[in-house]
Amino acid sequence: MQEARNNDIVLKIENLWFKFQGSKEYVLKNINLTFRRGEFVLLIGPSGCGKTTLINTINGIIPHVIQGIKKGKVYIPHKQNEEANLAEVSELKLPEISKHVATVFQDPETQFFTLSVIDEIVFGPENLKLPPEEIERRLKFAIKATGIEDLLEKDLMSLSGGQKQRVAIASAMAMMPDILILDEPTTNLDPRGAAEVLKTIAELRKKTNALIILIEHRLEEVSKYADRVLVMNNGEIIADGPPREVYNNPDLLYEIGIRPPWAAETIVRLKRLGLIDESIPTPLSPDEAADILFRELETKANAKVLHEAEQIYSREEEEYANTHTREPVIEIKDLWHQYPDGTIALKGISLKIHKGEFVGIIGQNGAGKTTLLLHILGLLRPSHGVVKVFGRNVLEMSVGELSQKIGLIFQNPDLMLFQNTVWDEIAFGPRNIGLPRDEIVQRVKESLEMMRLVGFEKRHPRALSRGQRHRVAVASILSMRPQIIIADEPTTGQDFGASKKYLELLRKLNEAGTTIIVVSHDMDLIARFTKRVIVLKEGRVLIDGPTRYVFSREDVLAETDLAPPYVTRIGNRLRKFGMPTVLTVEELVYHLANLMEVPLKEEEIMEVVKSG
C-alpha cells in the first residue's frame, strides 16, 4: 500500500506489463502514467492496441476475473481508517474496487440487471448495503448529473440507444466513483444518441471531481472536451498531451490507422503546404477551422473555383444519370410496413437500385433503415407494396436463392459466427450450396487474403478481437460471391484505418461489378466512398441523389438531425468564396490552394494529405 504523495493524484500506473494466459506476446508494455482528479482523458488507438486491456487493469477485471501474467503496479484510491490512500488493484477485492472505479461499456444492455430506470440506478448502492438515506442521496445525484429526470418512469427496454447509455452512466455515477471509465460508449449509437451521451459525459466533469477516461473513435465530438489525449499502439503509450498538441502531428496518427479531427487535419496540412502561417493554433472544431480559413481567404480569394464547382456537379450528375440507365437489381414500389404493435415503419417507399451502384443509406435510429433491408432480404412481408430482386418478387424466392444473390453483413459480427474455426466459418456458405471441394478452397483462400486473415485459419472466431471478428463475417459473405452486398453499420467498433481498408475493399468489389449498399452513421466514409445517398426519415425517403448533392443540403439533413461530414461543413462555411461542397480533405485543400492563387498538382497534395 502506498500513500498518495499528492492529494490530486487519483490513479498511478508504474512499469505495467501484461499478457494473457498462454500468450507469448505482451499486450501491455511498460506503461507509466499518472492521473489527477477532475481530468478528462481521451484514450485513442487502433483496434487491438490494448486500450480495453489497459482499463481492465484499472477496474480490477485484470487480475481478478481475467488471468494472465502481470508485472508492475496500478494504484487506485482506497480508504483505510478514514484516510485516503492509493492501493494496488491486486491487493483489493472487486467490491472494494467498485466503490472507487466505475466502467461503462459499449453495449449498455450487457450491464443492466433490472427492468426499470430507477431500480438500475440504485442497484449498485443497494448491493453495497448503504443506508436508505444514502441511496436516496446518490440516486438524486446521479439523476441530476446525467440529466435523465424525464426517463425515471420508463421501462429500460423502451428507451433509445442513447437513453440507455445515459442510464448506464447514471448507474455508474450512483457509485460516486473517483474514476469513471467509458469504453466506446457511442459505438452503437446514431449521431443524435452519440451527441446526447457525449454531452452528458462533458457535463459530468463540471458536476463531479471524478477522473474521466474515455475510449472513443468520434474525435471531432469529444476532443473539445478533453484536457489530455493518450495515444496507444501495440501496447505502448506513444503520445500524451493536450489535444491541440497531439493532433498537430497527424502523420503519427495516420501511421497507426487513426484519423485526426478534420479541423486539425485541414489546418496542419495547409501549414505544411505553406498556404497559412505556422503560428496559427491547431483547431479542434469545424467552426474554429472555418473561422481561420474565412479570415485567410478574405484577402486572398478569387472567383476561379466557382467555375470548377459547376464542372464537378455537372460531371457527377452525368455519371449518376448514366448509372440509372442500367438494369435495376432492386425495385421497391409503394412499400409500407406496419409491425404488430401498430408501429408504421415504412410509409410508401419507392426506389430503384441499379447494377453496379455504390449506395449509402442514412437516417436516425427508427427511420426505417433496418426494416427496409429486411424487406429486400425477404425476411419481412410488406403490409402493402412489392420488393423485387433481379425482377423477381422476393417473397417468391427461397432463402437459398437470395443468399447467392445478396450478402448481408450484420452490424454485430457475433450474430454471424457459429463455426469452430475461421476456415470453417468462411467455407460454410459454399459448402452449404454444394460447391466442389476445390472451388470451396479457392474461395476461402481468396476471402482470407482480401480480409487480411491469412494465418488465422485455425483460430476460433470468438477468440478474435471485435475488428477481426467483423473481418471474418465479411469473408464468410465474400466466399458466396454475391451480386449485391449489403453492409449494415460495417465500421462499428473499428478504427479509421480498419474502416477505410474495409470500404476500399467494398469499392474494389463495386468496381468489379458488385452492387454495394452501405447503411451507416459514419458520414465521412459515406462521403468518401458512396456515389449515391438515400436519406430516410420516419419511414419515408427524405432526399435521394448523388452524394455531393445530398451533403450540400445541410438544411434538409437537419430535418432528421443529421449533418454532413466535418470536412464538408468546413467547406460549406466558405461558400461566399465560391467553394463547392467538398467530400474529402484532399478536395478542400485543392480548392483552397486555388482560392489562394497557389495552384497545386494532385501529387503535391497527395504527398502531404495522407488520408486518401
Side-chain angles (χ1 to χ4, degrees):
M1 197 152 315
Q2 168 181 314
E3 284 195 15
R5 295 181 180 177
N6 185 321
N7 289 332
D8 287 339
I9 295 176
V10 73
L11 172 62
K12 193 167 187 178
I13 301 173
E14 295 180 345
N15 306 317
L16 180 62
W17 295 73
F18 180 79
K19 65 179 176 180
F20 293 101
Q21 204 77 45
S23 175
K24 295 180 181 179
E25 297 290 327
Y26 277 94
V27 182
L28 303 178
K29 305 169 187 176
N30 196 33
I31 291 178
N32 291 273
L33 295 166
T34 300
F35 301 87
R36 300 181 182 279
R37 291 186 184 278
E39 273 194 295
F40 190 130
V41 180
L42 178 59
L43 176 59
I44 64 176
S47 300
C49 73
K51 301 186 299 292
T52 299
T53 304
L54 177 59
I55 65 171
N56 283 341
T57 66
I58 300 168
N59 61 27
I61 290 177
I62 294 173
H64 297 294
V65 178
I66 297 175
Q67 302 300 310
I69 296 174
K70 176 187 168 188
K71 300 177 184 178
K73 304 289 185 181
V74 178
Y75 295 102
I76 64 169
H78 172 62
K79 281 190 177 181
Q80 190 175 43
N81 300 325
E82 298 304 315
E83 288 193 21
N85 299 309
L86 293 183
E88 215 285 317
V89 166
S90 60
E91 297 176 9
L92 302 173
K93 294 183 179 179
L94 279 174
E96 181 64 28
I97 295 171
S98 70
K99 296 177 183 178
H100 303 283
V101 183
T103 307
V104 177
F105 298 100
Q106 290 180 11
D107 184 355
E109 292 184 17
T110 62
Q111 58 191 101
F112 286 160
F113 292 90
T114 69
L115 298 176
S116 75
V117 171
I118 290 180
D119 287 346
E120 191 61 37
I121 296 171
V122 300
F123 182 83
E126 284 179 344
N127 273 272
L128 293 178
K129 299 181 180 179
L130 297 175
E133 58 273 15
E134 176 62 15
I135 293 174
E136 180 69 18
R137 185 179 77 87
R138 293 189 177 206
L139 173 64
K140 290 179 179 178
F141 164 76
I143 291 169
K144 186 176 180 181
T146 53
I148 60 169
E149 292 88 349
D150 58 327
L151 305 180
L152 297 183
E153 303 304 319
K154 295 191 175 182
D155 189 317
L156 273 177
M157 292 304 109
S158 71
L159 303 180
S160 69
Q163 290 170 332
K164 287 177 182 175
Q165 199 60 282
R166 286 164 65 200
V167 172
I169 295 171
S171 302
M173 292 312 300
M175 300 297 285
M176 290 194 169
D178 298 286
I179 303 167
L180 175 63
I181 299 171
L182 303 109
D183 189 0
E184 298 192 41
T186 70
T187 290
N188 298 316
L189 303 181
D190 61 25
R192 178 197 294 167
E196 188 179 274
V197 168
L198 292 172
K199 184 179 179 182
T200 298
I201 297 167
E203 288 296 317
L204 283 176
R205 66 100 42 87
K206 298 177 184 177
K207 299 173 182 176
T208 74
N209 200 30
L211 163 66
I212 296 175
I213 300 176
L214 173 65
I215 298 176
E216 185 56 67
H217 287 311
R218 299 177 190 248
L219 301 188
E220 274 85 4
E221 289 92 335
V222 298
S223 294
K224 59 187 175 185
Y225 302 126
D227 304 305
R228 178 180 173 191
V229 176
L230 297 177
V231 184
M232 195 171 185
N233 190 43
N234 291 327
E236 300 177 280
I237 301 297
I238 62 172
D240 178 0
R244 295 182 198 277
E245 179 184 301
V246 172
Y247 299 147
N248 203 42
N249 184 8
D251 292 338
L252 174 71
L253 299 180
Y254 273 122
E255 283 170 9
I256 64 172
I258 298 294
R259 181 186 57 73
W262 285 125
E265 159 86 351
T266 301
I267 298 303
V268 171
R269 299 307 184 192
L270 290 171
K271 288 180 184 178
R272 293 189 181 183
L273 288 165
L275 299 179
I276 62 175
D277 194 271
E278 284 281 347
S279 64
I280 291 174
T282 301
L284 297 180
S285 72
D287 284 343
E288 273 189 84
D291 287 342
I292 291 169
L293 295 172
F294 200 93
R295 288 194 298 270
E296 291 289 318
L297 289 173
E298 278 195 308
T299 57
K300 300 177 182 177
N302 60 48
K304 178 183 176 184
V305 78
L306 181 61
H307 178 62
E308 293 177 355
E310 292 170 350
Q311 288 181 327
I312 291 169
Y313 291 123
S314 176
R315 184 174 65 250
E316 290 184 355
E317 286 174 5
E318 185 178 341
E319 290 174 359
Y320 183 79
N322 288 339
T323 300
H324 284 229
T325 62
R326 302 173 192 162
E327 65 171 296
V329 294
I330 296 172
E331 294 178 83
I332 300 170
K333 296 180 180 178
D334 196 23
L335 180 62
W336 291 72
H337 187 82
Q338 182 172 358
Y339 283 102
D341 67 358
T343 300
I344 302 177
L346 299 178
K347 303 172 184 177
I349 287 182
S350 295
L351 56 85
K352 294 180 181 180
I353 295 176
H354 299 80
K355 184 177 181 180
E357 280 201 277
F358 199 138
V359 181
I361 299 179
I362 62 177
Q364 293 291 0
N365 289 347
K369 303 186 298 296
T370 299
T371 304
L372 179 62
L373 295 188
L374 292 175
H375 279 83
I376 293 172
L377 294 163
L379 298 176
L380 282 180
R381 181 175 290 274
S383 301
H384 179 77
V386 65
V387 178
K388 294 182 179 180
V389 172
F390 292 101
R392 293 182 59 191
N393 190 321
V394 294
L395 297 181
E396 298 171 359
M397 301 173 72
S398 68
V399 174
E401 284 180 290
L402 276 169
S403 68
Q404 293 180 61
K405 296 186 179 298
I406 304 177
L408 172 65
I409 304 166
F410 290 107
Q411 176 179 350
N412 182 354
D414 294 339
L415 298 176
M416 301 176 66
L417 307 178
F418 52 90
Q419 295 292 303
N420 290 325
T421 68
V422 169
W423 179 280
D424 287 340
E425 195 70 61
I426 300 171
F428 179 82
R431 279 179 185 153
N432 205 42
I433 59 174
L435 293 179
R437 184 178 181 281
D438 289 349
E439 177 68 12
I440 293 171
V441 170
Q442 180 64 26
R443 290 193 180 196
V444 172
K445 286 182 176 179
E446 286 179 1
S447 299
L448 286 165
E449 183 70 31
M450 282 192 287
M451 293 313 297
R452 297 178 292 117
L453 289 167
V454 175
F456 289 81
E457 293 89 342
K458 296 181 180 179
R459 296 279 295 277
H460 196 294
R462 301 280 179 174
L464 303 178
S465 71
R466 183 184 176 91
Q468 291 166 339
R469 296 198 305 274
H470 218 136
R471 299 210 304 269
V472 173
V474 176
S476 70
I477 294 299
L478 294 180
S479 67
M480 292 292 288
R481 294 182 180 171
Q483 294 167 270
I484 302 169
I485 291 180
I486 300 175
D488 186 10
E489 295 293 350
T491 61
T492 295
Q494 303 221 43
D495 57 66
F496 176 76
S499 299
K500 185 165 168 287
K501 287 176 182 175
Y502 178 17
L503 268 295
E504 283 171 345
L505 168 65
L506 292 183
R507 180 158 60 187
K508 287 179 182 176
L509 292 170
N510 176 247
E511 290 169 353
T514 305
T515 303
I516 306 292
I517 302 171
V518 175
V519 178
S520 180
H521 293 129
D522 191 327
M523 298 297 125
D524 290 323
L525 290 172
I526 288 285
R528 180 173 287 276
F529 291 96
T530 69
K531 298 297 183 183
R532 172 186 177 189
V533 173
I534 300 168
V535 183
L536 298 185
K537 179 188 178 184
E538 297 176 354
R540 302 182 189 276
V541 175
L542 179 66
I543 186 171
D544 175 5
T547 302
R548 195 180 305 276
Y549 167 73
V550 170
F551 283 139
S552 73
R553 298 300 308 274
E554 284 195 59
D555 55 335
V556 177
L557 293 175
E559 291 181 32
T560 186
D561 290 324
L562 294 174
Y566 287 95
V567 69
T568 304
R569 289 186 235 177
I570 294 171
N572 286 351
R573 282 278 308 275
L574 305 175
R575 281 179 174 163
K576 168 185 174 181
F577 305 102
M579 177 67 70
T581 295
V582 296
L583 300 179
T584 67
V585 72
E586 297 95 325
E587 290 182 351
L588 181 58
V589 169
Y590 171 78
H591 292 302
L592 284 168
N594 280 342
L595 276 169
M596 294 176 180
E597 300 182 296
V598 184
L600 294 174
K601 296 178 181 177
E602 184 178 350
E603 57 267 25
E604 291 178 290
I605 295 175
M606 294 305 296
E607 185 178 340
V608 177
V609 179
K610 303 292 180 64
S611 63

